[in-house]
Amino acid sequence: MKFGLVKNGLRILFPIIKIYSQKFSLLLPVSYGNSSVKVITFTPLIYKIQIRCYPKNKNKIKNVVKKVEIREDIISHYFDVDKIKIEMNEILETMKEKYIQNLSLRSSIGSIEAIPVEYEGKKYTIRDLAQVNRKNPKIIALNFAAFPQTIPTILKAISNSSMNLNPQQDGTSVYVPLPKVTKEHRENLKKNANDLFNKCKTDVRAVQIKYIKKLELKQNEGLSLEQFFLLREQITTMANNYISEAEKMKNEKRKELLGDQ
């Protein structure tokens, strides 16, 4: 790279010189037709020059992901590794259960029985509160003779189950017509699959952030900066691995829902 100046219509180029504290002297021609030179002494005013080089074809730029090996022996000096894994794995298992319960193309007795219900501060499933039978190939019947007071809560839970169900009450019974598999239904299930994945990802990141904040506090207890960065990288990698597993589940479910086998 060269630095230039223009004097009397003459453009003079010379290399940029590494900056030191002393002065420099340059030999510059005075005019075109004269071989005489003039000595100029100066102190550079340029202190730092940054140069970034880019490839001509930007499409060739690729993201290089650093592969980090999980070292549980390192993490275990500061945290209970099993506890971190349990917290993250529970989030992944919750997503998996919701995929099974709520994202089936054809609703079955088993998927309807497993719909979660919260009543008077306690958690149940429909199978805990009703007798479930198939009235005919297109309708599932729920008998709530033992717990009729739960019917309003059950109706709401079924309607909000993301299974495109429209329950109908008849006395102490609830009838659930099974929906046809339409393109709109498939797209709705695909959207729900994305939403569940995003929630899983957010929850795993929350666990990651929680432990990194605990690391920051340990710096006051003598944790070096080098150890902090190493442990932060390890915890982040653990979270990334669980999120990658969740993303695989999401992609498989989307293929299933869209029929892309």
Side-chain angles (χ1 to χ4, degrees), residues 73-135:
D73 57 321
I74 296 177
I75 304 174
S76 62
H77 283 90
Y78 301 91
F79 297 115
D80 184 341
V81 179
D82 290 336
K83 184 178 179 182
I84 300 176
K85 291 165 68 175
I86 287 172
E87 288 184 43
M88 292 184 177
N89 191 63
E90 282 180 350
I91 296 169
L92 188 65
E93 288 299 316
T94 298
M95 173 182 160
K96 184 185 296 185
E97 289 175 8
K98 289 185 176 181
Y99 268 25
I100 294 172
Q101 295 171 4
N102 302 329
L103 299 179
S104 175
L105 281 175
R106 296 188 180 275
S107 302
S108 63
I109 288 181
S111 60
I112 292 175
E113 284 182 325
I115 293 175
V117 180
E118 186 169 341
Y119 182 73
E120 293 185 344
K122 296 182 179 180
K123 294 182 179 181
Y124 303 92
T125 60
I126 288 180
R127 71 166 62 91
D128 298 325
L129 305 171
Q131 293 180 343
V132 184
N133 297 292
R134 187 179 288 275
K135 184 176 181 181

Side-chain angles (χ1 to χ4, degrees), residues 22-204:
Q22 72 265 27
K23 295 182 180 180
F24 296 91
S25 296
L26 291 178
L27 302 179
L28 302 179
V30 175
S31 64
Y32 283 105
N34 196 331
S35 60
S36 61
V37 296
K38 182 178 180 181
V39 177
I40 298 178
T41 302
F42 67 98
T43 300
L45 298 178
I46 302 173
Y47 295 98
K48 185 177 181 182
I49 299 174
Q50 291 183 335
I51 302 174
R52 295 188 65 183
C53 300
Y54 298 91
K56 293 182 179 179
N57 187 353
K58 293 184 178 180
N59 295 329
K60 292 184 179 181
I61 300 176
K62 296 182 179 179
N63 292 327
V64 179
V65 180
K66 179 182 177 182
K67 187 175 181 180
V68 179
E69 180 185 357
I70 299 294
R71 293 285 306 277
E72 294 186 5
D73 57 321
I74 296 177
I75 304 174
S76 62
H77 283 90
Y78 301 91
F79 297 115
D80 184 341
V81 179
D82 290 336
K83 184 178 179 182
I84 300 176
K85 291 165 68 175
I86 287 172
E87 288 184 43
M88 292 184 177
N89 191 63
E90 282 180 350
I91 296 169
L92 188 65
E93 288 299 316
T94 298
M95 173 182 160
K96 184 185 296 185
E97 289 175 8
K98 289 185 176 181
Y99 268 25
I100 294 172
Q101 295 171 4
N102 302 329
L103 299 179
S104 175
L105 281 175
R106 296 188 180 275
S107 302
S108 63
I109 288 181
S111 60
I112 292 175
E113 284 182 325
I115 293 175
V117 180
E118 186 169 341
Y119 182 73
E120 293 185 344
K122 296 182 179 180
K123 294 182 179 181
Y124 303 92
T125 60
I126 288 180
R127 71 166 62 91
D128 298 325
L129 305 171
Q131 293 180 343
V132 184
N133 297 292
R134 187 179 288 275
K135 184 176 181 181
N136 60 53
K138 295 184 179 181
I139 296 178
I140 292 177
L142 311 176
N143 187 339
F144 290 95
F147 302 98
Q149 70 276 18
T150 64
I151 291 178
T153 303
I154 296 293
L155 292 173
K156 184 177 179 180
I158 295 174
S159 298
N160 295 336
S161 66
S162 303
M163 297 172 68
N164 196 32
L165 301 175
N166 184 27
Q168 305 294 325
Q169 181 182 358
D170 183 8
T172 58
S173 296
V174 173
Y175 298 100
V176 185
L178 301 180
K180 293 181 179 179
V181 181
T182 63
K183 181 179 179 181
E184 182 182 0
H185 182 44
R186 288 178 185 270
E187 289 294 333
N188 186 49
L189 291 177
K190 185 182 78 170
K191 178 182 178 300
N192 292 335
N194 289 336
D195 290 344
L196 289 171
F197 165 72
N198 288 333
K199 185 179 187 311
C200 174
K201 181 178 179 180
T202 299
D203 292 346
V204 170

Side-chain angles (χ1 to χ4, degrees), residues 201-241:
K201 181 178 179 180
T202 299
D203 292 346
V204 170
R205 289 295 184 210
V207 175
Q208 170 193 333
I209 291 170
K210 179 179 73 173
Y211 282 96
I212 289 177
K213 285 184 177 180
K214 289 183 179 181
L215 272 180
E216 292 172 351
L217 295 176
K218 288 183 181 294
Q219 286 186 288
N220 299 328
E221 301 172 5
L223 181 68
S224 69
L225 190 61
E226 182 181 0
Q227 289 172 319
F228 170 79
F229 285 125
L230 175 62
L231 288 163
R232 186 180 68 174
E233 183 180 53
Q234 290 285 307
I235 294 171
T236 300
T237 301
M238 287 181 67
N240 290 344
N241 290 345

